[in-house]
Amino acid sequence: MSAAGVDTAAGESPRLARVGPRPPTLAPGERWYCVHTQPRREAFARENLERQGFRCFLPLLRRTVRHARRVETRLSALFPRYAFLVLDLARDRWRSVNGTLGVVRLLMEGEWPRPVPQGVVETLLASADDSGAVHFDRELRPGDRVRILAGPFAERIATVTRLDEKGRVALLLEILGAERPVVTARGDLLPLP
């Protein structure tokens, strides 16, 4: 790991390295930008951008998928069809991003790429674990509404009733017309506004 918080292999320059879970220190002139990707090709686009030397970040979220009587928890894009990359518009050949496999286009403002507001990507990076999965550690309180992200009740909305020091959260979930108590891990919940 370099001092900039970027994973680097022996002999690899920091510019060619993959962004790890810690926010990298951006050099003067560098900013985060957003790329629009092809459907379900976020990781493919990120890999192709990294091959060209761009530092990228694809925030992920653990989601439960049901198919053919199987329930699996998978990592998927937090923002479907979007990824982030670092550019210095004065130095980098940023127009090559639009011709990258898996990328539809850079998000633009007029004739120039539109930078992501400062602090947005940095906050996501600071909240991500080693796999790139973002954890929402906002303080929960009884009465808060949450979306369950994993397990048999994935994608259901529930109300927090109790929290304990071990990271378990008691919820009230409407099942078959009545509210039932359910307990799950804090990391499996997405706070709702």
Side-chain angles (χ1 to χ4, degrees):
M1 182 75 74
S2 73
V6 177
D7 293 329
T8 57
E12 185 178 21
S13 76
R15 185 161 182 269
L16 294 173
R18 172 178 254 180
V19 173
R22 288 184 215 94
T25 302
L26 298 180
E30 290 184 335
R31 291 285 305 270
W32 283 102
Y33 293 86
C34 187
V35 293
H36 188 218
T37 68
Q38 295 172 343
R40 293 182 298 280
R41 306 277 284 191
E42 300 90 355
F44 179 71
R46 182 197 66 212
E47 290 169 10
N48 287 315
L49 287 165
E50 288 172 345
R51 281 190 197 111
Q52 295 178 56
F54 294 107
R55 288 183 287 160
C56 300
F57 175 56
L58 176 60
L60 301 172
L61 186 65
R62 293 187 196 288
R63 289 199 169 114
T64 297
V65 179
R66 293 183 183 95
H67 180 70
R69 291 190 227 159
R70 287 190 326 208
V71 177
E72 294 179 7
T73 300
R74 297 182 185 161
L75 287 173
S76 60
L78 176 62
F79 305 111
R81 298 196 67 186
Y82 293 95
F84 301 100
L85 78 154
V86 175
L87 290 174
D88 179 342
L89 298 181
R91 179 194 68 209
D92 295 327
R93 296 183 60 207
W94 60 266
R95 293 183 192 275
S96 68
V97 171
N98 290 336
T100 302
L101 292 174
V103 172
V104 174
R105 69 182 182 284
L106 267 168
L107 295 187
M108 304 290 283
E109 188 167 44
E111 293 186 21
W112 296 94
R114 179 179 8 174
V116 176
Q118 290 185 337
V120 172
V121 177
E122 292 83 355
T123 301
L124 291 170
L125 276 162
S127 302
D129 62 18
D130 290 336
S131 68
V134 176
H135 299 278
F136 298 96
D137 291 327
R138 190 189 96 193
E139 188 66 34
L140 286 177
R141 288 177 286 248
D144 286 352
R145 305 278 292 162
V146 294
R147 179 180 307 275
I148 302 171
L149 299 174
F153 300 115
E155 299 304 318
R156 304 285 301 271
I157 306 296
T159 304
V160 175
T161 59
R162 186 174 34 85
L163 298 101
D164 69 16
E165 65 282 347
K166 295 181 181 174
R168 293 181 301 231
V169 181
L171 306 168
L172 278 181
L173 177 67
E174 185 176 325
I175 302 172
L176 300 174
E179 288 191 328
R180 309 276 184 208
V182 175
V183 177
T184 190
R186 169 66 187 91
D188 293 343
L189 301 174
L190 173 64
L192 297 176

